[in-house]
Amino acid sequence: MNVVSKDNLSKQIKDKIFNEELIPQADALYNFAYSLVFEEARAQDLVQEAYLKAYRFIHSFEPGSNAKAWLFQILKNAFINEYRKKSRQPQKVDFEDYKDKNQLEKQASSIDIGQDIYTHMIGDEITGALNSLPVDFRVAIILSDIEGFTYDEVAKISDIPIGTVRSRLFRARNLMKDQLREYAKEKGFKELR
Amino acid sequence: MKKSHNCKDVVIQFNLMLDGDLNPKEEQDVMCELQRCIHCLEEYNLEEKYRQFLKEKITKKGVSSAFLNKLKNCVQEK
Ligand SMILES: [Zn+2]
């Protein structure tokens, strides 16, 4: 057979995909890793592991498809494996409570953060608020609100159903806003409502 | 006949809309509801502002060129 199997991509093609499609995602990937482990060296290790794995499985990547989502998924799996190896469980949150619509409504009704507080906040406070959230909520906000992934992509990266993405995001955003409100109170800003 | 306006439903819907989870017809419905209720419109504007603010102000770190080179080199060794 003349056709080159995708498993046998030439090194030249692999390197081209790696350098042109995967490497440009390094900053976003590093930020994601850092928000999971909060340590520069460990974040770099995770990113490196993700890139090594990506290169090894590069034949399963469709050039021109969503490299960022693919790499984020690999990194998230590397992070979970790292936790398993250390026989520690990632901080888990029980989402069962947030499934039904009544809960969503209850959450929706609590969205009323005052506009004024935003303009006075600095990046460190926002980052602090985000970092104080349990890891699953933090990841939901990073993937959706900061990196701009769709529900479908967040579901794939996080390995959860789309319905869970929706409810988790609702809950995560409310927790985030609660945190911001706390920061604002500490600094003595007046809430609008 | 227009269905009655429920603020809590609209808040849920506009969040889905901002997440890109609604089709154009559903989006149009949400926009109509926002025109009907000043409270919902304010909430919507606030939510938009919040999301913008989050994207702009969150601290982002970049990788150094030395680390980028390390990444490129480590796959070459494999
Ligand atoms: Zn309303």
Side-chain angles (χ1 to χ4, degrees), chain A residues 95 98 104 107-108 111 130 133 136-146 148-152 154-155 158 160-177, chain B residues 15-16 18-21 47 50-51 54:
Chain A
F95 301 107
Y98 307 113
L104 280 185
Q107 291 161 27
I111 298 172
L130 181 64
L133 302 186
D136 287 344
F137 288 153
R138 202 160 70 229
V139 166
I141 292 204
I142 292 168
L143 295 181
S144 178
D145 295 351
I146 296 169
F149 286 114
T150 64
Y151 284 177
D152 202 33
V154 176
S158 311
I160 52 174
I162 284 196
T164 309
V165 173
R166 278 193 199 99
S167 48
R168 195 175 288 186
L169 263 173
F170 256 98
R171 181 74 184 133
R173 285 173 182 150
N174 281 345
L175 281 176
M176 180 73 184
K177 288 169 185 173
Chain B
N15 272 283
L16 296 177
L18 288 171
D19 287 342
D21 199 43
E47 184 63 28
Y50 162 75
R51 292 189 187 205
L54 193 62

Side-chain angles (χ1 to χ4, degrees), chain B residues 47-69:
Chain B
E47 184 63 28
E48 259 197 326
K49 193 180 166 88
Y50 162 75
R51 292 189 187 205
Q52 190 60 30
F53 151 89
L54 193 62
K55 268 203 192 112
E56 281 169 6
K57 289 210 177 175
I58 202 84
T59 313
K60 289 200 176 182
K61 301 161 189 282
V63 295
S64 64
S65 53
F67 181 65
L68 266 189
N69 286 332

Side-chain angles (χ1 to χ4, degrees), chain B residues 23-39:
Chain B
N23 64 38
K25 166 79 177 75
E26 289 168 329
E27 283 190 8
Q28 208 181 356
D29 290 345
V30 174
M31 293 316 284
C32 284
E33 290 302 317
L34 292 180
Q35 299 310 315
R36 287 171 76 185
C37 172
I38 185 74
H39 168 73

Side-chain angles (χ1 to χ4, degrees), chain B residues 5-11 14 33-34 36-41 43:
Chain B
H5 176 93
N6 179 322
C7 293
K8 285 174 183 174
D9 278 346
V10 175
V11 171
F14 75 58
E33 290 302 317
L34 292 180
R36 287 171 76 185
C37 172
I38 185 74
H39 168 73
C40 284
L41 188 62
E43 291 287 346

Side-chain angles (χ1 to χ4, degrees), chain A residues 81-110:
Chain A
N81 287 339
E82 190 197 287
Y83 261 93
R84 284 207 188 113
K85 262 186 221 155
K86 291 179 177 168
S87 55
R88 288 202 328 242
Q89 279 291 310
Q91 211 176 337
K92 275 274 168 197
V93 194
D94 187 5
F95 301 107
E96 295 306 306
D97 294 347
Y98 307 113
K99 273 185 178 163
D100 62 327
K101 188 161 174 284
N102 286 341
Q103 281 292 337
L104 280 185
E105 283 183 359
K106 213 168 116 195
Q107 291 161 27
S109 66
S110 72

Side-chain angles (χ1 to χ4, degrees), chain A residues 33-110:
Chain A
Y34 189 85
S35 67
L36 294 172
V37 297
F38 302 127
E39 259 178 54
E40 205 172 305
R42 279 179 71 205
Q44 287 188 352
D45 286 348
L46 270 178
V47 172
Q48 185 170 332
E49 195 187 329
Y51 271 106
L52 278 173
K53 198 169 257 176
Y55 191 78
R56 206 178 307 139
F57 291 98
I58 210 158
H59 55 270
S60 64
F61 174 72
E62 196 61 50
S65 68
N66 195 337
K68 189 173 165 185
W70 189 60
L71 285 166
F72 269 59
Q73 191 171 14
I74 293 173
L75 189 130
K76 192 232 44 180
N77 289 338
F79 168 68
I80 292 194
N81 287 339
E82 190 197 287
Y83 261 93
R84 284 207 188 113
K85 262 186 221 155
K86 291 179 177 168
S87 55
R88 288 202 328 242
Q89 279 291 310
Q91 211 176 337
K92 275 274 168 197
V93 194
D94 187 5
F95 301 107
E96 295 306 306
D97 294 347
Y98 307 113
K99 273 185 178 163
D100 62 327
K101 188 161 174 284
N102 286 341
Q103 281 292 337
L104 280 185
E105 283 183 359
K106 213 168 116 195
Q107 291 161 27
S109 66
S110 72

